[in-house]
């Protein structure tokens, strides 16, 4: 209840409609029930929301609601409030001033449908026929000990849309674009317009298949012959420029050691795939989707790329990207691999992971395992994740929290044995396993490496701060030529000093468990402490920065190159142009 009141207060404060949070007008729920038809006069609204950052804040990974304001019945509601106030005043014999009457809009809440997504969010709901705009994005956190909420105003940044009875209003892709560092504690207390913007992408993000797949019964009573969307206004072109800039500066953090290829890959939002060759040079592919890319594989001469909502992309002979949907739209690809002539795919749904096997990416996908999902943690226990790797014979193995599962082809079943738990895990193209163990203290434990397909593990001993080195703690170690390992650790600035710096450190693999054998090298670039171990090519290491830039070093941190730049200044300038045009338009209407 408290969370609902806070939301109402925030929305009302932003729209300057009332002076205090004493609303008797609750935010209306729009949740769809597939077992019931739409109410008379209602239509369905769908939008995809992409945060062009890894998470909104420490307590807020994603948005919890999109708050919608109805605007076509403003005068009707205002006059109804005046009439009610007038009647009340007459009964009490008081004077009546219609200009002093407070009135309220209608508010609606869209909540996310997370099925089939990884970092993107799909919001779907039913609303009465009318005209609307998005008031704000909202997230609320409460664990019983503390509460926290954040909000981002939208309004004309996205525009006005129309809902019609029995029809779909497809709002396409909405982008939340930070312009400052969301990792800074002051980000959400900063009320400056230079903090962030919300805009919409131009082009078609077809959400009708998502609605039809997830709400089959309800969809059967809808009319999809005419799809509604945003209304045209003077700011459409400027929004398109902002959206294009956000897409060109897509945040990407999913590093992939690309099996079947000399390339490695970094999968990003908005369908961007960065490919890195043996020389460490980078090229970028733009796939026909606005969603997060999640996985990639070179299989039988074709580059395959997995995404959300069951979509798989492949590059054709004429260099064009083609999409298919070999798995359910309620599942998202999270890993692709190949061994012994077969392709394998791990998919994530709401409550489970599913492992598929295929001989041909276009046909005959076989489901060979279903594995229950576990939460990352609860208030008592930190759990490990679910990961796939191949053993020395090319047979798939599953690590699910503290169990190792092996597939028995004869019985078509999985046998489980007790095993280590990992928070992060990857298998390199040469077979080595690199991982970060689970810690019951703060989630991320020691880095470890296995050179024998998981039969034994070697701990990598390094120094980091108990608090303050979270990103460095969570990164995987990298393998260098000549059987060396590279990672990140704290090194004192001078002997006997209490001060230390994060540096790249190296050691021979056999000495990785001995802190005294590590050799310190260059310091990390500021705010670039997330090592992308799977991208390592030869002696070139790659690191992700807080705002999405990717930097590399070929001399262990003595010098740095920017490989993927995030042009914050250009996005800021374009947003300021948008705001100035808005103010100019408002001024011309008032004159």
């Amino acid at each position: 209840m408290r969370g609902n009141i806070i939301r109402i207060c925030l929305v009302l404060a932003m729209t300057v409609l009332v002076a205090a949070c004493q609303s008797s007008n609750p935010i209306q729920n729009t949740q769809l029930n597939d077992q019931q038809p739409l109410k008379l006069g209602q239509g369905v609204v769908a939008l995809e929301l992409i945060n062009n950052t890894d998470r909104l804040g420490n307590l807020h990974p994603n948005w919890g609601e999109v708050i919608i304001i109805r605007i076509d019945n403003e005068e009707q509601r205002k006059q109804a409030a005046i009439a009610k106030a007038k009647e009340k005043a007459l009964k009490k014999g008081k004077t009546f001033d219609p200009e002093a009457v407070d009135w309220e809009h209608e508010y609606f809440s869209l909540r996310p449908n997370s099925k089939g997504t990884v970092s993107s969010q799909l919001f779907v709901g039913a609303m009465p026929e009318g005209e609307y705009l998005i008031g704000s994005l909202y997230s609320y956190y409460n664990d019983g000990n503390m509460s926290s909420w954040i909000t981002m105003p939208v309004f004309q940044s996205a525009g006005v849309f129309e809902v019609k009875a029995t029809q779909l209003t497809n709002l396409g892709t909405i982008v939340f674009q930070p312009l400052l560092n969301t990792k800074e504690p002051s980000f959400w207390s900063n009320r400056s317009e230079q903090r962030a913007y919300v805009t919409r992408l131009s082009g078609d993000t077809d959400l009708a298949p998502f609605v039809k797949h997830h709400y089959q019964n309800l969809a059967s009573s809808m009319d999809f012959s005419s799809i509604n969307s945003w209304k045209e206004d003077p700011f459409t072109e400027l929004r398109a420029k902002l959206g294009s800039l956000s897409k060109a500066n897509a945040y990407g953090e999913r590093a992939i050691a690309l099996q079947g290829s000399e390339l490695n890959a970094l999968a990003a939002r908005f369908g961007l795939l960065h490919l890195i060759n043996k020389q460490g040079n980078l090229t970028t592919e733009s796939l026909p989707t606005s969603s997060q890319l999640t996985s990639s594989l070179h299989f039988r001469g074709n580059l395959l790329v997995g995404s959300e909502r069951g979509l798989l992309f492949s590059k054709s002979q004429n260099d064009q990207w083609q999409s298919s949907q070999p798995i359910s739209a309620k599942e998202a690809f999270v890993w692709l691999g190949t061994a012994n002539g077969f392709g394998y795919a791990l998919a994530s749904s709401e409550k489970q992971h599913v492992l598929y096997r295929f001989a041909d990416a276009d046909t005959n996908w076989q489901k060979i395992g279903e594995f229950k999902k576990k939460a990352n943690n609860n208030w008592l226990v930190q759990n490990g994740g679910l990961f796939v790797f191949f053993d020395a014979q090319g047979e798939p193995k599953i690590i699910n929290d503290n169990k190792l599962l092996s597939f028995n082809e004869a019985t078509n079943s999985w046998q489980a044995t007790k095993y280590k738990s990992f928070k992060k895990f990857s298998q390199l193209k040469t077979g080595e396993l690199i991982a970060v163990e689970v810690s019951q203290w703060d989630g991320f434990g020691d880095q470890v490496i296995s050179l024998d397909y998981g039969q034994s593990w070697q701990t990598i001993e390094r120094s980091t701060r108990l608090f303050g080195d979270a990103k460095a703690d969570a990164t995987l170690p990298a393998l260098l030529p000549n059987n060396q390992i590279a990672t990140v650790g704290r090194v004192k600035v001078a002997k006997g000093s209490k001060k230390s710096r994060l540096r790249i450190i190296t050691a021979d693999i056999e000495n990785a468990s001995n802190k005294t054998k590590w050799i310190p090298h260059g310091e990390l670039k500021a705010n670039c402490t997330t090592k992308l171990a799977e991208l390592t090519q030869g002696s070139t290491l790659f690191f992700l920065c807080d705002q999405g830039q990717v930097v590399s070093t070929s001399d262990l941190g003595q010098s740095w190159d920017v490989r993927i730049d995030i042009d914050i200044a250009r996005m800021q300038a374009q947003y300021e142009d948008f705001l100035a045009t808005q103010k100019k338009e408002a001024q011309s209407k008032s004159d």
Side-chain angles (χ1 to χ4, degrees), residues 334-565:
V334 292
W335 172 87
L336 290 167
T338 180
N340 296 335
F342 287 101
Y344 292 84
L346 183 68
S348 172
S349 64
E350 186 178 27
K351 295 181 179 179
Q352 67 178 10
H353 285 94
V354 180
L355 185 65
Y356 294 92
R357 181 171 62 187
F358 54 90
D360 185 331
D362 295 325
T363 57
N364 299 324
W365 283 55
Q366 178 190 5
K367 186 184 295 185
I368 62 171
E370 296 179 340
F371 313 95
K372 185 179 179 181
K373 264 188 176 180
K374 289 188 177 182
N376 285 333
N377 61 281
N378 56 42
W379 69 285
L380 282 176
V381 177
Q382 292 277 351
N383 295 317
L386 188 144
F387 308 100
V388 187
F389 71 96
F390 299 108
D391 65 15
Q393 288 71 46
E395 296 300 322
K397 303 281 188 179
I398 298 284
I399 301 170
N400 191 7
D401 189 22
N402 59 354
K403 295 288 192 299
L404 176 66
L405 297 105
S406 303
F407 186 60
N408 187 319
E409 194 78 42
T411 61
N412 196 35
S413 62
W414 293 84
Q415 280 78 47
T417 57
K418 187 86 171 166
Y419 204 63
K420 285 177 172 286
S421 297
F422 301 109
K423 278 294 186 185
K424 297 192 74 174
F425 181 98
S426 186
Q427 183 170 33
L428 302 180
K429 287 181 282 192
T430 44
E432 298 90 350
L433 308 179
I434 52 177
V436 177
E437 292 180 322
V438 170
S439 165
Q440 294 303 324
W441 178 254
D442 62 352
F444 292 95
D446 290 328
Q447 290 181 337
V448 291
I449 183 170
S450 174
L451 305 179
D452 55 10
Y453 300 94
Q455 295 182 53
S456 64
W457 291 88
Q458 183 177 359
T459 300
I460 295 171
E461 293 290 346
R462 58 182 180 141
S463 296
T464 55
R465 282 179 179 165
L466 184 59
F467 300 104
D469 289 338
K471 292 187 288 294
D473 281 341
T475 58
L476 295 166
L479 289 187
L480 299 177
N482 302 320
N483 290 319
Q484 281 199 321
I485 194 162
T487 188
V488 173
R490 286 247 160 216
V491 179
K492 290 184 178 181
V493 296
K495 189 174 182 179
S497 173
K498 292 183 178 180
K499 293 184 178 180
S500 62
R501 299 281 188 272
L502 278 175
R503 292 180 177 270
I504 295 173
I505 55 176
T506 62
D508 293 335
I509 290 178
E510 62 267 23
N511 295 326
S513 298
N514 187 341
K515 283 186 180 181
T516 65
K517 297 291 186 178
W518 287 96
I519 301 172
H521 301 278
E523 288 187 25
L524 299 190
K525 193 173 177 64
N527 299 318
C528 302
T529 56
T530 300
K531 182 157 54 63
L532 302 170
E534 296 93 337
L535 300 189
T536 303
Q537 291 280 25
S539 59
T540 302
L541 301 171
F542 294 82
F543 287 77
L544 176 67
C545 307
D546 287 350
Q547 289 188 275
Q549 299 91 338
V550 173
V551 297
S552 71
T553 177
S554 298
D555 53 15
L556 300 175
Q558 301 303 318
S559 62
W560 294 90
D561 296 310
V562 177
R563 295 308 181 95
I564 299 174
D565 195 17

Side-chain angles (χ1 to χ4, degrees), residues 143-202:
D143 63 6
N145 297 311
M146 64 172 296
S147 61
S148 170
W149 58 91
I150 57 175
T151 187
M152 180 68 193
V154 181
F155 302 107
Q156 282 296 337
S157 290
V160 175
F161 62 90
E162 189 173 15
V163 176
K164 292 185 178 180
T166 73
Q167 295 183 0
L168 173 65
T169 297
N170 178 15
L171 299 183
T173 301
I174 305 295
V175 181
F176 168 68
Q177 177 63 62
L179 298 173
L180 299 176
N181 190 348
T182 58
K183 311 296 188 304
E184 295 293 334
S186 61
F187 181 86
W188 288 107
S189 61
N190 186 335
R191 299 303 174 193
S192 167
E193 290 177 336
Q194 281 71 43
R195 178 183 68 176
Y197 65 74
V198 176
T199 193
R200 65 192 200 220
L201 287 187
S202 59

Side-chain angles (χ1 to χ4, degrees), residues 31-46:
Q31 186 173 357
L32 296 177
N33 185 339
D34 194 36
Q35 304 307 312
Q36 296 180 359
L38 286 173
K39 293 180 180 178
L40 187 65
Q42 283 191 335
V44 172
V45 176

Side-chain angles (χ1 to χ4, degrees), residues 325-341:
Q325 191 171 14
I327 62 175
S328 168
K330 295 180 181 180
E331 297 174 332
F333 286 99
V334 292
W335 172 87
L336 290 167
T338 180
N340 296 335

